Amino acid sequence: MPSTGPLTFRAFQELIRERYSATDAARGTPGTFMWLIEEVGELATSLHECGPGQSPTPEQRHNLEEEFADVLAWLTTLATINGVDLERALSKYTEKGRVEGVKH
């Protein structure tokens, strides 16, 4: 999928579907969820290695970007194999009155 501008959630979800649908469907929800959790763990480690209140080194920044991308990709895969349109689901944050306030 050639880049023609900003990547939307819909375009990213379609890219995941096109590239990996057969493998993802065979793995199923439980296996995909386990991969997602593994990637969340790797992201947690990466965040911890940066240290609180410190600026990450270029290598740490690169690793953070990689891990955030992996988490997003596996979450997108999980949504896709479960028939969730992420762009539509995320509209709850853009429609006035649906999500208000913050969690503490």
Side-chain angles (χ1 to χ4, degrees), residues 6 16-17 20 30 33 35-36 56 67 70 79 87 91 97-98 104:
I16 292 292
R17 182 180 291 109
Y20 307 113
F33 184 78
W35 277 108
L36 170 62
E67 297 306 335
D70 290 347
E87 193 160 289
S91 70
R98 284 198 60 197
H104 296 277

Side-chain angles (χ1 to χ4, degrees), residues 23-42:
T23 305
D24 294 341
R27 183 185 325 99
T29 296
T32 301
F33 184 78
M34 292 305 295
W35 277 108
L36 170 62
I37 295 308
E38 180 177 320
E39 292 299 338
V40 169
E42 291 177 12

Side-chain angles (χ1 to χ4, degrees), residues 49-70:
E49 289 172 351
C50 290
Q54 298 178 11
S55 294
T57 66
E59 294 82 16
Q60 289 170 326
R61 170 68 53 202
H62 176 75
N63 187 251
L64 280 172
E65 290 172 358
E66 292 281 323
E67 297 306 335
F68 273 105
D70 290 347

